[in-house]
Amino acid sequence: MRLFKRYILPLLAFFLLLTNVNAQLEFPEDKVSWKFSIEQDGCDAVIVGKITCVEHWHVYAANLPSGSFLIPTEIEPDKSPNYKVIGKVIEPKPEFYHDEAADEDIYQHSHTFKLTRKIKILSEKDFVLKGRFSFQTCDESHCLPPYDVDFSLKVKGCVEENIEENLEDTFSKTVSSDSLPSLDTNDVEIEDAIFKSTKKDNKNDDKDKKSLWMIFFLAFGSGLAALLTPCVFPMIPMTVSFFTKQSKSKAQGIRNAIFYGISIIIIYVLLGGVVTGFVPPDVINEISTGAGMNIFFFLLLVVFAVSFMGAFEITLPSSWVNKADKASDRGGFIGIFFMALVLALVSFSCTGPIVGTLLVESATIGGLLPIWGMFGFSLALALPFALFAAFPGWMNSLPKSGGWLTTVKVFLGFLELALAFKFLSNADLVMQAHWLEREIFLSIWIGVFGVLAIYLFGFIRLPHDGPAGNLSVGRVLLGITTVIFVIYLIPGLWGAPLKLISGFPPPMSYSESPHGVGSSG
């Protein structure tokens, strides 16, 4: 009897409590059901979601006014080179009322309704479209936590035979009366706005401009970073000294300095041209979508990162440098050009990993972007050499070489290491192996940048670091910035979207726990 009272009775009470709690739990999937399908007409297709809410429950509209506190219902296809998403979610006219207590306009859907999302198919082969459906469901008294679920649809490939076909006819065929609910005036306005954006998107102007300038600014910033490495920065005063001694007049010095800068740009642009000219489009598609190439680039960037951290040096054959150095003795414009080539070869151990990363990143997009990227990189690299050679007096404002150059190089190594996992993540997404899901990716980045912060504050040292001394103000500020970034990443483990780095980690749907670590969702 004592055994029953002491052990069995409390255990029974505990299980009864769990049963009671479980009976009171409410789950979004019990209040809302959904079914997704694809309707296709040639290279135009529509994702159709049929949504049903149980009696007295509703979800919020997809297109909410700016500043609304409501959580919209979304159909978000994963990023893929197989298709292009056009416009926003198309929805029927939502139910509307004004919540006096919250002083907020409420837009919602209840019962059964349809949501659609238009896509343009870019692949000739059949593929599987994956995406995420997310919503929050409420009744008159309370709301359940936001919920999202993955969906996948089989899509047939197509060949666009007539690029100039009438988009309006195609749109009206694809989004037919069978696939969408009847629209009133408000819906027609939404559809018209989406159709106008569709005409622009079909020309790819906005996307191309965005990619073009993104690569340029990334390349230009990388060129400025390369200037602050131990292989490049000390060569600035050497170059200035050469031009001041060899030039008979100031005008000749400026002319030679300008040609020196142009020569640097020509050398790197030619390198980008080689990548553009000798890498066919099918290989570029394999680079952007194939698991094998992404794994190769992951390993390549890891090697670059380890090199920057001081494990070894990546150098070109010394015979190349010697031949270029001999050619630079000829004088004239030919000699100046080979001087620029010597700079490119000698500094390769620092610039090579940066240039390699830029070429990989731009090649995944394709087109002339490798050339454009090398132009941005070489422009940033050439400007200081040309300007200081033309105006030697500016040299007095340059900081002296020192251990801070090694710190910059190691910092770039950590960035290379973090970027490498983006390519490994791409490979994992292609294979759908779920080895590197969102939480693991973010944990790796938290670890990488956490160790970087520890290094910047001087708690660990690497092979190329000099004797320990006082930390500079710049190094402390950089360390604080890195710690802030690590703190920003941590909420991502609990489902935060992390918009600042949204293009790097896997999508929210590719996750062990889409609602965050520890969530029952």
Side-chain angles (χ1 to χ4, degrees):
M1 192 66 171
R2 182 181 299 174
L3 180 65
F4 178 80
K5 288 182 178 180
R6 188 171 182 179
Y7 297 103
I8 299 178
L9 189 60
L11 193 60
L12 287 174
F14 176 72
F15 279 114
L16 286 173
L17 177 62
L18 283 181
T19 304
N20 185 49
V21 170
N22 189 57
Q24 295 177 4
L25 287 177
E26 295 178 306
F27 298 97
E29 58 266 38
D30 296 332
K31 310 300 181 183
V32 180
S33 60
W34 53 85
K35 182 179 180 181
F36 284 90
S37 59
I38 190 82
E39 296 189 1
Q40 185 173 347
D41 182 7
C43 290
D44 296 278
V46 175
I47 303 169
V48 180
K50 184 178 181 181
I51 319 299
T52 301
C53 302
V54 301
E55 192 69 25
H56 306 304
W57 287 81
H58 62 265
V59 298
Y60 294 117
N63 301 285
L64 295 171
S66 177
S68 175
F69 75 96
L70 306 177
I71 297 178
T73 301
E74 296 180 323
I75 299 174
E76 192 61 41
D78 292 347
K79 292 182 180 179
S80 171
N82 294 321
Y83 56 85
K84 176 178 63 178
V85 180
I86 299 178
K88 300 180 180 179
V89 174
I90 302 176
E91 61 182 338
K93 181 181 179 180
E95 304 164 8
F96 168 79
Y97 71 92
H98 184 76
D99 188 336
E100 297 293 343
D103 192 23
E104 179 79 15
D105 292 335
I106 306 297
Y107 301 84
Q108 65 184 40
H109 296 293
S110 59
H111 306 295
T112 299
F113 61 96
K114 288 184 179 180
L115 301 177
T116 60
R117 196 82 188 263
K118 189 175 186 293
I119 63 169
K120 186 77 172 180
I121 299 171
L122 306 177
S123 173
E124 298 181 4
K125 299 180 180 179
D126 296 351
F127 61 92
V128 175
L129 182 150
K130 297 180 180 291
R132 179 174 55 89
F133 171 55
S134 60
F135 62 89
Q136 183 178 34
T137 183
C138 306
D139 65 3
E140 294 181 355
S141 61
H142 67 294
C143 293
L144 300 183
Y147 186 79
D148 64 314
V149 64
D150 297 339
F151 66 85
S152 60
L153 300 169
K154 294 183 179 179
V155 182
K156 294 182 179 179
C158 74
V159 178
E160 185 68 78
E161 296 181 355
N162 186 5
I163 298 177
E164 301 295 333
E165 82 174 14
N166 191 305
L167 288 177
E168 186 171 5
D169 291 342
T170 303
F171 188 83
S172 63
K173 291 177 184 177
T174 307
V175 189
S176 63
S177 58
D178 295 333
S179 62
L180 281 176
S182 60
L183 302 174
D184 66 359
T185 306
N186 291 340
D187 295 303
V188 172
E189 291 176 358
I190 295 173
E191 180 181 340
D192 185 61
I194 294 174
F195 175 70
K196 289 178 180 179
S197 67
T198 300
K199 294 177 73 176
K200 295 179 182 179
D201 287 344
N202 191 66
K203 296 179 181 179
N204 282 329
D205 288 343
D206 294 339
K207 182 179 178 181
D208 290 345
K209 289 180 180 178
K210 184 178 179 181
S211 298
L212 195 70
W213 288 110
M214 178 191 72
I215 288 294
F216 178 81
F217 287 120
L218 177 65
F220 191 84
S222 300
L224 294 178
L227 281 169
L228 303 178
T229 58
C231 315
V232 181
F233 191 83
M235 296 189 69
I236 296 178
M238 294 171 56
T239 305
V240 172
S241 175
F242 173 83
F243 282 111
T244 53
K245 290 179 180 179
Q246 296 296 322
S247 303
K248 296 179 180 180
S249 64
K250 185 175 181 180
Q252 184 184 11
I254 294 175
R255 184 172 62 252
N256 291 341
I258 292 174
F259 186 76
Y260 181 76
I262 293 174
S263 299
I264 294 175
I265 294 174
I266 290 173
I267 290 167
Y268 282 99
V269 167
L270 286 175
L271 180 61
V274 169
V275 174
T276 302
F278 290 91
V279 180
D282 56 336
V283 174
I284 292 176
N285 183 64
E286 173 64 20
I287 290 173
S288 60
T289 61
M293 291 301 295
N294 276 285
I295 291 175
F296 170 75
F297 288 136
F298 162 72
L299 296 174
L300 184 65
L301 293 190
V302 169
V303 172
F304 287 161
V306 173
S307 170
F308 265 164
M309 292 177 186
F312 53 83
E313 293 285 347
I314 300 176
T315 57
L316 295 174
S318 58
S319 59
W320 295 11
V321 180
N322 294 333
K323 289 180 180 178
D325 191 38
K326 288 181 180 179
S328 66
D329 294 334
R330 296 181 180 180
F333 288 149
I334 295 178
I336 294 174
F337 177 83
F338 278 99
M339 275 190 63
L341 182 59
V342 170
L343 169 69
L345 297 177
V346 171
S347 63
F348 183 80
S349 60
C350 291
T351 60
I354 301 175
V355 169
T357 304
L358 281 172
L359 289 174
V360 168
E361 188 66 29
S362 56
T364 57
I365 302 175
L368 298 177
L369 284 181
I371 295 177
W372 184 240
M374 287 299 95
F375 172 73
F377 176 84
S378 58
L379 180 64
L381 195 66
L383 275 176
F385 280 93
L387 290 175
F388 284 117
F391 307 100
W394 293 2
M395 284 291 300
N396 296 328
S397 61
L398 275 180
K400 295 181 179 180
S401 300
W404 65 273
L405 293 174
T406 301
T407 302
V408 171
K409 189 176 178 181
V410 172
F411 181 82
L412 293 175
F414 276 95
L415 291 184
E416 294 264 8
L417 185 61
L419 182 62
F421 284 95
K422 173 181 179 289
F423 291 96
L424 187 61
S425 173
N426 291 344
D428 186 51
L429 285 168
V430 171
M431 297 185 295
Q432 289 293 302
H434 290 268
W435 293 337
L436 192 62
E437 293 179 325
R438 187 178 177 86
E439 292 82 3
I440 300 298
F441 184 95
L442 292 176
S443 298
I444 292 172
W445 268 38
I446 290 170
V448 169
F449 287 101
V451 174
L452 173 58
I454 294 172
Y455 168 78
L456 291 173
F457 286 118
F459 292 105
I460 58 176
R461 307 189 64 76
L462 293 176
H464 287 171
D465 290 326
N470 295 330
L471 297 179
S472 64
V473 174
R475 185 163 176 166
V476 171
L477 292 177
L478 191 58
I480 292 173
T481 304
T482 306
V483 171
I484 293 172
F485 182 65
V486 171
I487 295 172
Y488 171 78
L489 292 176
I490 292 174
L493 299 175
W494 282 269
L498 304 180
K499 294 182 180 180
L500 290 179
I501 60 165
S502 58
F504 290 92
M508 297 284 287
S509 58
Y510 199 77
S511 171
E512 292 182 16
S513 179
H515 299 288
V517 174
S519 169
S520 61

